[in-house]
Amino acid sequence: MVSRRTPGRALRKLLHVATKPMKADHGRGGVVVQAYRGYGSSKEIYVLGRVFRQPGFGQSLAEGSLLRDLVDLLRRTLRWGVGDAQVTLKLNDSKLTVSTGKDGYFDIHMKLDTPLDNEKSWHRATLEVAIEHAKRQPDTIETQAEIYVPPASADLVVISDIDDTVMYTGVANKFKMIYRLFFETAERRTAFPGVATFYQALFEGPDGNRDRPMLYVSRGPWGIYEVLEAFFQRNHIPVGPILFLRDWGMTLQNPLPRQAVDHKRKLIEQMLALYDDLPFVLIGDSGQHDPEVYVQIVEQYPGRIRAIYIRNINHDESRDAAIARLADQVAKNDCELLLAKSSQQMASHASELGLIAPESVERVRARSYKEAQRPI
């Protein structure tokens, strides 16, 4: 028997999703520092985050009640970024202070005085945030930031798109994409069949011990960061710094997202410079401009891109032909571009290149078949 969700239940679910980030303060409000996962090398690190202030009211209302969810939704709507806050990042004997922008975002790039131990992947840094006041001493808030640094065993960097590459978002259908981005919980953001098993194989490498950097990029806003984290954990996709989201810059005066001009290309170039001794694999989809962007990267950085995998979501003959021409183009720079209908096809190709263990292909095939039976 198929259960049908009533409009009332659907509305309650949407409210719960929208207000989830507000639950941690139990209605008290105040200044909140959100540090996204950082990344770097043994010599330099990057940490991004946001400082914002949210109003406090409704503490007496019962957690989980409709009224409390409505109040928390209002609090989320009314919160605002704290500009010109002083954010200090400390790691071992290195320290750097930056100011937040007008929307409260900060982006720290710090050179390290002492190289990090590359025998472990995750390092913990301290963030101190000072907020100035006109008539009293500054408020200081301290929190932690997790930073990923590839271990010495890493021999490859994987950069993957998220939207319609890892999970269904419907980029080709804008209304469906907006619905999936904002109104579906992590449990309903369905991953493509076999994608988690394929990414696990890439993370492990042919001998199972490579612990490769897995970096993800999305066209979505920072506001869905927690939902993406939950999605990756639920689907057992190797967790990397899910940090390549966008500041949409949406305000009452400017209600539409800012344009993502060269967003992905600039991020990939930054990673190529950071991990300048490692080859890369780029994964995307055929729905937007991933193939064209990736081909530009191959031509600008010859010899750095080992393979490009494009998930075919259009199934359009003219688009397929255009991507086939791009594949011929990158082949001149010793790079292979594969337009694939499934994770299994990608895994088979990666195995042929020696990027993953041969036995991983069968695991991806079996998992893909099982996951293909579930509804989207």
Side-chain angles (χ1 to χ4, degrees), residues 166 191 195-196 199-200 216 231-240:
V166 173
V195 70
Y199 281 38
Q200 288 164 4
Y216 303 93
F231 167 82
F232 274 63
Q233 292 170 4
R234 182 180 184 274
N235 288 278
H236 307 292
I237 298 171
V239 177

Side-chain angles (χ1 to χ4, degrees), residues 39-41 44-46 109 269-277:
Y39 63 99
S41 68
E44 57 187 314
I45 58 174
Y46 293 80
H109 174 203
E269 289 178 343
Q270 183 176 311
M271 296 303 101
L272 286 164
L274 179 62
Y275 304 123
D276 58 0
D277 58 339

Side-chain angles (χ1 to χ4, degrees), residues 20-44:
K20 189 175 181 180
M22 307 300 296
K23 300 300 185 183
D25 73 346
H26 302 290
R28 292 188 296 270
V31 176
V32 176
V33 180
Q34 184 175 29
Y36 308 116
R37 281 199 187 97
Y39 63 99
S41 68
S42 62
K43 299 178 182 179
E44 57 187 314

